[in-house]
Amino acid sequence: MGSHNESLRVLIVGAGFGGLTAAIECRKRNFNVTVFESNASRRQLGDIISFGSNSGRIFRTWPGVEDKLDPICHHGDGIDFRTYDDEFLCRQMWDKDAIWGKRFGGHRGEIHEVVWNHAIEQGVEIKLASKVEEYFETESEAGVVVNGERVIGDVVLAGDGVRSLARTIVLGFEDKPKSSGYAVYRSWMPTEDLKKDPLTAWLADPTKDLHFGWLGPDVHFLVATLQKGKALSWVLTHKDDADVEESWSAPGYVEEAVKAIANWAPICHAIIRATPEDRLVDWKLVFRDPLPTWISPKRRIALIGDAAHPFLPTSIQGASQSMEDGVTAAVCLELAGSKANVPEALRVFEKIRYSRVLAAQQTGVTNRDAWHKADFDYVRKNPESVKLPQQEWVFNFDARQHAYDVYEQTSEELKKDPDWKPNPIL
Ligand SMILES: Cc1cc2nc3c(=O)[nH]c(=O)nc-3n(C[C@H](O)[C@H](O)[C@H](O)COP(=O)(O)OP(=O)(O)OC[C@H]3O[C@@H](n4cnc5c(N)ncnc54)[C@H](O)[C@@H]3O)c2cc1C
């Protein structure tokens, strides 16, 4: 693979799922890869995270990864939807996944550890405690300043997350988040306390993984069990006043979470009340308008993952799209074939990815509104209306193959239209 006669020097910022995927795929192509991660150690932060079959297929192409993910992931075959007062609505089966691929969902820290270890096995160098302070580029190189040192490469892939610093150099201005008007209480907890209450004890079923969605006006509560009934994760998305601080570690308070669903069924309150408070976070959901571009003026720095395009959790695609970015960027750099052609590779990367990501981002709003804005008289009469759309274009998609298929044609299109810019309107 790869026609680069000298190894391309790829600098990757951020060891999230976007950065690590880019690193693994670049190493496979024998590029010289360095990842800079600001954290001093690999942290276990986060709770449940989901990967659709579009990114599940990426995991499955990395030798040994699926076998390590299987024991830690959720293995339910569907989700039961119920109303806020606990009336059963319908069961949505994940039957299409059997045809399209395999989904993976589990603890972010545990899945991240598997991917991280795979990256190390592939020879990726991850530099911890390496916060990138500055980005720079020339016509022929790109680099970062880390801990006061200038590091030079041929290309920088910036997967530095929702609070990306790289965005500023790419855009030429600092992009501010806006409140989405919603926040999420989230928890990942052991099931010990749930077992003590007859109302919730059955949730700790060691024989099968369970998944529920309780829906009410402007609130939804998703609950999943996994790891043979030992772990339960829940997320409660609710209306919130305009606070735009986003943090995966902001503390949440049990009684406040209960208050957000005051008139709901006792089982929902019981699950929340069994949550150890140190396991509860309150995460503000923010919006960012789609960026006018993901690549820098000299086309040697590209944003990938949340840095380029944050997702609402209701799209259930944030991590998947960041992995698709990583794979696509690596294929584009391979097919560009030389260091001189990095700018072409990044332009093609942006053009291949932009409209797909924009459409996938939009599903976060439509999915959320389908639940939150639902007329519950209508829902009770038409219970199937709450099912999540399972769009084939999202899930039955092979980002790697797609990049190989369309690279040449996209590159030709860009040569004919050198002023092409992404269209941030769907
Ligand atoms: C701590 C944390 C917890 C999360 N928990 C969940 C969760 O429970 N459920 C869920 O669905 N999603 C969660 N997410 C978000 C989810 O992981 C991402 O939306 C998705 O995987 C896209 O990944 P990404 O690689 O683009 O960004 P991220 O996963 O955000 O990774 C970005 C990485 O860049 C690093 N970084 C940032 N700035 C710099 C810098 N200047 N220099 C060097 N490194 C830098 C960060 O430390 C981080 O490791 C979490 C993200 C974080 C950071």
Side-chain angles (χ1 to χ4, degrees):
M1 242 190 256
S3 52
H4 291 272
N5 45 20
E6 341 157 42
S7 186
L8 195 73
R9 294 165 303 168
V10 185
L11 307 181
I12 296 176
V13 185
F17 287 103
L20 287 178
T21 303
I24 291 167
E25 292 288 320
C26 284
R27 269 306 299 149
K28 280 177 189 286
R29 290 162 176 81
N30 289 324
F31 301 157
N32 184 331
V33 182
T34 311
V35 179
F36 301 96
E37 168 55 52
S38 52
N39 290 324
S41 61
R42 204 200 62 72
R43 295 194 298 171
Q44 290 285 335
L45 269 181
D47 47 73
I48 200 144
I49 193 163
S50 302
F51 297 84
S53 47
N54 52 323
S55 54
R57 74 168 71 219
I58 300 172
F59 286 140
R60 296 176 88 185
T61 60
W62 294 341
V65 166
E66 182 178 5
D67 288 347
K68 294 194 180 105
L69 291 179
D70 274 342
I72 55 175
C73 283
H74 175 86
H75 292 287
D77 55 3
I79 175 168
D80 284 348
F81 288 111
R82 310 183 76 89
T83 58
Y84 56 94
D85 50 3
D86 206 25
E87 178 186 328
F88 175 75
L89 290 170
C90 66
R91 178 166 179 72
Q92 176 163 19
M93 300 297 289
W94 306 130
D95 47 355
K96 294 203 172 122
D97 288 27
I99 317 164
W100 294 342
K102 181 169 168 182
R103 59 174 58 213
F104 293 87
H107 192 282
R108 180 183 181 273
E110 293 174 1
I111 297 179
H112 188 245
E113 184 173 19
V114 171
V115 176
W116 177 286
N117 290 341
H118 183 67
I120 306 269
E121 282 161 23
Q122 299 303 305
V124 170
E125 184 189 7
I126 305 177
K127 289 185 181 280
L128 287 165
S130 298
K131 186 173 166 60
V132 167
E133 296 140 21
E134 227 180 288
Y135 293 77
F136 57 86
E137 60 175 345
T138 64
E139 300 300 333
S140 57
E141 291 179 322
V144 292
V145 177
V146 187
N147 299 332
E149 189 197 339
R150 276 169 83 83
V151 185
I152 297 176
D154 300 303
V155 56
V156 176
L157 300 176
D160 54 347
V162 283
R163 299 199 219 187
S164 165
L165 171 68
R167 260 201 305 258
T168 308
I169 181 165
V170 165
L171 297 178
F173 60 89
E174 193 187 341
D175 162 66
K176 297 272 188 207
K178 299 188 222 166
S179 169
S180 71
Y182 289 88
V184 193
Y185 290 109
R186 318 179 52 109
S187 181
W188 178 284
M189 61 201 247
T191 49
E192 293 318 314
D193 285 349
L194 292 163
K195 287 183 197 154
K196 294 178 195 153
D197 181 350
L199 202 55
T200 53
W202 59 277
L203 284 165
D205 187 335
T207 64
K208 59 178 185 294
D209 291 346
L210 305 170
H211 199 182
F212 294 97
W214 278 277
L215 310 178
D218 247 334
V219 187
H220 70 267
F221 183 47
L222 301 179
V223 175
T225 65
L226 58 179
Q227 301 181 349
K228 300 196 187 307
K230 291 200 188 78
L232 178 142
S233 182
W234 61 263
V235 294
L236 174 70
T237 303
H238 61 103
K239 286 288 269 183
D240 191 55
D241 335 324
D243 180 345
V244 293
E245 255 311 297
E246 29 184 6
S247 165
W248 282 103
S249 51
Y253 300 98
V254 163
E255 287 311 316
E256 277 180 25
V258 171
K259 239 192 265 164
I261 53 168
N263 61 344
W264 283 40
I267 173 123
C268 300
H269 292 178
I271 294 169
I272 296 175
R273 289 217 162 93
T275 307
E277 212 151 59
D278 61 353
R279 297 280 188 137
L280 182 58
V281 298
D282 183 12
W283 178 50
K284 308 287 170 191
L285 283 182
V286 301
F287 260 144
R288 281 188 171 81
D289 289 332
L291 301 183
T293 180
W294 301 346
I295 60 177
S296 60
K298 297 190 197 310
R299 299 168 177 168
R300 288 203 169 253
I301 303 170
L303 304 175
I304 60 171
D306 281 2
H309 45 68
F311 270 75
L312 289 177
T314 34
S315 70
I316 328 177
Q317 273 292 307
S320 292
Q321 293 300 322
S322 77
M323 289 182 67
E324 287 193 5
D325 282 354
V327 168
T328 308
V331 172
C332 290
L333 289 168
E334 174 199 339
L335 296 181
S338 74
K339 294 181 179 190
N341 284 348
V342 164
E344 171 194 296
L346 296 194
R347 285 196 85 206
V348 174
F349 160 74
E350 180 182 55
K351 187 157 198 272
I352 293 179
R353 296 289 304 146
Y354 197 94
S355 52
R356 172 170 170 79
V357 168
L358 193 64
Q361 269 175 308
Q362 193 54 31
T363 64
V365 179
T366 49
N367 289 347
R368 183 196 65 200
D369 288 353
W371 287 346
H372 285 212
K373 309 284 177 225
D375 167 349
F376 276 79
D377 291 335
Y378 176 83
V379 164
R380 285 180 214 273
K381 284 187 208 129
N382 302 276
E384 304 270 317
S385 65
V386 300
K387 284 186 174 177
L388 281 166
Q390 279 182 283
Q391 305 94 331
E392 182 162 8
W393 65 269
V394 176
F395 296 104
N396 191 16
F397 185 77
D398 182 338
R400 187 183 290 120
Q401 191 55 49
H402 181 69
Y404 282 118
D405 290 346
V406 303
Y407 185 92
E408 272 314 314
Q409 184 201 328
T410 311
S411 160
E412 286 309 312
E413 285 166 11
L414 287 168
K415 279 178 195 142
K416 286 190 200 130
D417 184 5
D419 297 327
W420 180 87
K421 291 260 181 302
N423 178 3
I425 296 161
L426 252 190

